[in-house]
Amino acid sequence: MRFAAALALLLIIAIISLSSAFDVSPSNPQPGDKITLTGIASPGEIVNLRSSFQMDLPVSGGRYEYATSVEIPQKPNRFTVTARNVKDLNAGVKMVIWITKRFQSQGGVATISHADVPPGRYNLKMFGDASDGASTVPVKVEAETGVKADSTGSYSLVIDTSGIPAGDYSIEGGGDSKTIRIGSASATPSARYSGSGSESSGGESSSDTSYSYTTESPKSVSITPEIIRWYAAKTGLNPDDPDKYAEAEKNLRNRLKGGYWLVIAKGSPMTEEAGNCDEDYCLVRGIDACTTCREKDTLIKLENDSSKPQRYLDAIKEEIADKENQTSLENQSQETPAQAVSSIQEKKGYIDGLLQWILQLIWGWTK
Amino acid sequence: MLMMCLLPAVVLAGDYISIPHSSDLLEGGWIELEGDNMVQVPNLSLISHLSNLTYPISLYPVYSQGQAISGIFRGPESLKGAEVEVSITRFNASSFLSALGILERPVGINERGISLRLNDTGDKDFILPGVPGGFYTVFVRDNGNSTILSAAPLIVTEGEISLDLPERVTAGGALKVGIKSHSGGEKNRTYGAIMISRKDYNLSSLSIETNSSTNYSANSSTENLSFSMAIGDRSMKASGMPSISTDFLMKILMLLPGNSAASIEESTKPEVELYLLTDSAWEKGNYTLTCAAYSGKVLDGLKQVTIEVV
């Protein structure tokens, strides 16, 4: 009898162990890497997996903002954003057009939560007024989805970390919990763009001239009175006025909190631009900024730089557009006609589903 | 008069039949409403087997509850000196389309209005007393001949809204729009704003078309209609007159160009701030911004302005 009870207990423990453990690979991903979760459960079991991360958004002039591009996993899913120390939370989603909805906070907390968001990549913007006196706005983002184990009990889920800032990322599922670190302070991003074009020279065009840039980790400078005066002038404050000087210092320190923004000195390579900082100092987005945000900064800068050929600008615009529109031209070119039709039908269904969700988000309508 | 003799005797007392219209604003038999709060509407085409009309009026006034309604009836010169009656009834799509000859059915009107004598050019201005918030149709009829001379839709809001916003916004930035409702104090409202480039908005169009040629019959209805809408190079088509539904709004959303934005907030407060997001790649120029506040089944207010994207 005792032997049977012990055997049963061991069996129970074994089953719990089998259905609760999951592995995460890679163990130290960089922002933008794909994380793969794999585990074992009962055949056909739906394993609920919840991932979350938190970030502290700096408050500047009483306002906070954050822009990113995120990948929403398969259905069923639930996506929740909670912002604290806020008076309101404006959430903008872009698919076709920007649609923004405003949420008032209660007790300084604003929460948006929606289930069964059509999977896909979304451009998101969050912004609003912080609570009086707040210097940071903690934001927690949670995503939840269900994964079905196959006939052997195996399940896997791929999470795209694009848009997730460097930091701790918590994953829970099946009774297990793991925290992984995304990115590290010493990471050096590799070259993100290279293009080729030609420059006319003496009326003849030459080929094989490549325009490429590499990005390095920006080296932020310490805040000195000289930098505060520079920032004051940049933001329209008189640095000779002690009150305005103090206001500029406070604004600058708030803006630089969290690492989203950095100040670099003249000659330093800029995070998102082809070339170096050509002013005394430059305010640039750090590695925690979204990829699309940095690339758009590149485009704005290059549009103002007449030395760069139009072909180079067009190439960057095209790359940004491709990433934003999530086109699958490469995949479509390899599809058979039947697959192409199916792809178009799936895309149409996806768009219909997305629009329906957007309308539900806005108007709370159900079909 | 000859036309009246040829028609079957199916017109009942209180029923009116329409007269032919043309797309000419001055001679086509149209009602031009006047007001301070004007809204540009999409180009409207009305098509039947008998006529192909382009609604000649693109700017429409929005009235508030109780506000006197003023306008001009522009009839053909052949109507000079005629005695007509101008009245307001609750909006009915079938009656409106029938009055303009798109649907071939009599229009039943029982409401009394004001009597006018048309001048030498067949025109006459008028002022009607204000009405409660809602959607209406203004009719001009000739009681002597039992004919409907014209019809015009009328939007009456429960109150007014005022807007607080800059004249321009930088592409890539957020446009902050303050909307204040001047009716009713605190109550559940939905505030909305939508921004479309002026160029695309000017190219937007609505088309209402009857599907088949039917004899003059009381059975003609809006079910025989097709409705289409286009913005730029995108269009949608539906059978019958669409009702406001999720499906309909989804189709509208699909028509909007990429350089458009919308924002919404539900609040019990009479004043809110909405943000419309733009992208740095947006085309610079003028954009049409339409804002509204809605509570229950009535519009609290509707306003349209121009904003410049720089």
Side-chain angles (χ1 to χ4, degrees):
Chain A
M1 192 66 172
R2 281 184 185 178
F3 177 75
L7 190 60
L9 184 60
L10 280 173
L11 191 60
I12 291 169
I13 293 172
I15 292 172
I16 291 173
S17 300
L18 281 174
S19 63
S20 63
F22 60 85
D23 293 319
V24 180
S25 176
S27 56
N28 183 210
Q30 298 302 309
D33 285 350
K34 286 182 168 37
I35 300 174
T36 302
L37 305 181
T38 53
I40 298 291
S42 302
E45 179 185 352
I46 302 290
V47 179
N48 289 320
L49 295 166
R50 189 182 306 114
S51 57
S52 63
F53 67 91
Q54 180 154 321
M55 54 189 171
D56 291 333
L57 301 181
V59 174
S60 176
R63 304 269 303 165
Y64 67 95
E65 63 179 79
Y66 184 68
T68 189
S69 173
V70 292
E71 186 83 25
I72 300 297
Q74 64 211 32
K75 287 186 185 181
N77 61 47
R78 174 170 283 278
F79 188 65
T80 304
V81 176
T82 304
R84 300 179 184 279
N85 297 346
V86 299
K87 292 179 182 174
D88 65 359
L89 171 62
N90 293 275
V93 177
K94 183 173 182 185
M95 181 66 186
V96 184
I97 68 170
W98 277 109
I99 299 179
T100 308
K101 189 171 183 185
R102 188 174 185 222
F103 301 86
Q104 294 287 348
S105 70
Q106 290 186 346
V109 180
T111 300
I112 306 169
S113 182
H114 266 273
D116 290 337
V117 177
R121 177 158 291 279
Y122 296 80
N123 286 339
L124 298 178
K125 285 188 183 179
M126 293 186 294
F127 56 97
D129 289 325
S131 299
D132 293 335
S135 58
T136 61
V137 168
V139 175
K140 185 173 183 181
V141 179
E142 298 169 284
E144 189 176 334
T145 189
V147 181
K148 189 174 180 179
D150 62 19
S151 57
T152 65
S154 299
Y155 66 85
S156 71
L157 175 68
V158 177
I159 300 174
D160 190 326
T161 63
S162 300
I164 298 175
D168 291 337
Y169 189 68
S170 170
I171 305 171
E172 300 171 26
D176 195 10
S177 173
K178 289 188 192 313
T179 299
I180 60 172
R181 177 113 188 130
I182 295 182
S184 63
S186 59
T188 302
S190 57
R192 289 184 286 112
Y193 176 77
S194 66
S196 60
S198 60
E199 269 186 336
S200 60
S201 173
E204 295 178 356
S205 61
S206 59
S207 59
D208 300 327
T209 304
S210 62
Y211 304 100
S212 62
Y213 67 82
T214 57
T215 59
E216 301 175 15
S217 292
K219 293 178 176 51
S220 177
V221 295
S222 302
I223 298 179
T224 63
E226 181 185 347
I227 289 175
I228 296 171
R229 293 182 67 84
W230 162 81
Y231 186 73
K234 187 177 175 66
T235 54
L237 297 172
N238 181 5
D240 294 324
D241 181 339
D243 290 336
K244 299 299 178 188
Y245 178 93
E247 183 180 345
E249 180 180 5
K250 181 182 172 188
N251 291 344
L252 177 60
R253 290 188 186 280
N254 281 337
R255 192 157 191 189
L256 298 181
K257 259 184 194 172
Y260 190 81
W261 292 97
L262 298 169
V263 174
I264 60 175
K266 186 173 185 176
S268 298
M270 299 181 78
T271 311
E272 64 276 358
E273 302 194 14
N276 298 332
C277 172
D278 52 14
E279 298 175 9
D280 289 339
Y281 299 101
C282 294
L283 187 67
V284 301
R285 296 181 206 255
I287 59 173
D288 290 346
C290 70
T291 302
T292 307
C293 302
R294 294 198 293 275
E295 289 171 349
K296 283 186 175 174
D297 287 346
T298 303
L299 188 60
I300 293 170
K301 170 75 175 189
L302 293 175
E303 282 178 335
N304 295 330
D305 185 350
S306 57
S307 68
K308 290 292 184 293
Q310 185 62 36
R311 192 169 172 176
Y312 181 43
L313 297 177
D314 291 343
I316 295 184
K317 282 182 186 175
E318 196 175 317
E319 181 177 342
I320 294 174
D322 282 347
K323 285 184 182 178
E324 284 191 321
N325 296 331
Q326 288 285 288
T327 56
S328 56
L329 293 177
E330 289 179 0
N331 292 337
Q332 287 177 9
S333 67
Q334 297 167 9
E335 288 176 338
T336 64
Q339 287 173 330
V341 169
S342 174
S343 172
I344 290 170
Q345 287 173 337
E346 280 180 11
K347 192 174 179 183
K348 186 169 182 286
Y350 157 65
I351 292 175
D352 284 348
L354 169 66
L355 289 173
Q356 180 156 352
W357 169 75
I358 288 174
L359 288 170
Q360 290 174 9
L361 171 70
I362 295 172
W363 284 284
W365 287 2
T366 55
K367 197 168 183 179
Chain B
M1 288 301 294
L2 181 61
M3 229 171 97
M4 285 293 298
C5 295
L6 294 174
L7 291 169
V10 294
V11 179
L12 304 176
D15 285 350
Y16 298 81
I17 57 173
S18 65
I19 63 169
H21 291 261
S22 76
S23 299
D24 184 343
L25 173 62
L26 299 180
E27 291 286 314
W30 300 103
I31 300 170
E32 195 173 5
L33 295 172
E34 300 167 330
D36 296 325
N37 183 17
M38 305 297 282
V39 171
Q40 182 183 353
V41 296
N43 302 308
L44 176 63
S45 297
L46 303 170
I47 303 168
S48 71
H49 72 286
L50 292 175
S51 64
N52 188 336
L53 294 176
T54 298
Y55 206 83
I57 300 166
S58 60
L59 278 178
Y60 245 78
V62 175
Y63 291 91
S64 56
Q65 185 164 271
Q67 182 183 359
I69 295 150
S70 60
I72 301 174
F73 169 65
R74 300 191 184 277
E77 200 172 322
S78 58
L79 289 177
K80 72 175 182 180
E83 287 274 353
V84 301
E85 186 171 344
V86 185
S87 60
I88 297 178
T89 64
R90 285 282 177 182
F91 182 82
N92 176 281
S94 175
S95 297
F96 173 72
L97 293 172
S98 299
L100 296 180
I102 302 303
L103 283 179
E104 295 178 78
R105 61 177 301 177
V107 181
I109 302 176
N110 298 313
E111 289 81 358
R112 305 309 305 174
I114 59 172
S115 294
L116 305 171
R117 179 179 290 278
L118 302 182
N119 62 21
D120 290 343
T121 57
D123 302 342
K124 187 64 183 172
D125 55 344
F126 60 87
I127 298 177
L128 294 166
V131 292
F135 295 98
Y136 299 87
T137 306
V138 178
F139 287 109
V140 176
R141 62 187 192 250
D142 183 342
N143 288 323
N145 294 326
S146 294
T147 53
I148 281 282
L149 301 179
S150 191
L154 176 67
I155 299 174
V156 181
T157 59
E158 198 169 76
E160 288 183 359
I161 57 172
S162 55
L163 304 181
D164 180 18
L165 71 163
E167 291 180 350
R168 56 187 61 88
V169 62
T170 303
L175 173 66
K176 184 168 105 172
V177 180
I179 302 179
K180 184 173 182 179
S181 175
H182 297 276
S183 71
E186 295 211 348
K187 59 180 177 179
N188 288 327
R189 288 185 186 86
T190 301
Y191 296 85
I194 186 163
M195 187 173 166
I196 304 173
S197 79
R198 171 61 60 82
K199 186 175 69 175
D200 287 320
Y201 196 81
N202 287 344
L203 292 175
S204 63
S205 62
L206 289 171
S207 177
I208 302 173
E209 183 175 351
T210 51
N211 291 336
S212 59
S213 62
T214 54
N215 293 328
Y216 197 92
S217 163
N219 292 327
S220 297
S221 73
T222 55
E223 293 173 354
N224 297 324
L225 295 175
S226 65
F227 169 92
S228 60
M229 184 170 183
I231 299 177
D233 58 356
R234 303 180 190 185
S235 63
M236 58 163 266
K237 195 167 182 177
S239 296
M241 287 298 289
S243 58
I244 301 298
S245 65
T246 305
D247 188 54
F248 178 66
L249 289 173
M250 279 172 61
K251 288 176 177 165
I252 297 283
L253 209 58
M254 285 289 285
L255 297 181
L256 294 175
N259 56 337
S260 307
S263 184
I264 191 166
E265 182 178 352
E266 294 161 354
S267 175
T268 57
K269 296 179 181 176
E271 193 169 357
V272 298
E273 286 177 344
L274 299 183
Y275 286 88
L276 291 111
L277 296 175
T278 68
D279 286 328
S280 56
W282 276 29
E283 190 176 334
K284 312 296 187 289
N286 286 333
Y287 283 68
T288 298
L289 173 69
T290 307
C291 303
Y294 177 78
S295 59
K297 298 181 180 178
V298 182
L299 273 175
D300 266 21
L302 177 67
K303 224 171 188 70
Q304 192 178 76
V305 295
T306 297
I307 187 84
E308 186 183 7
V309 173
V310 297

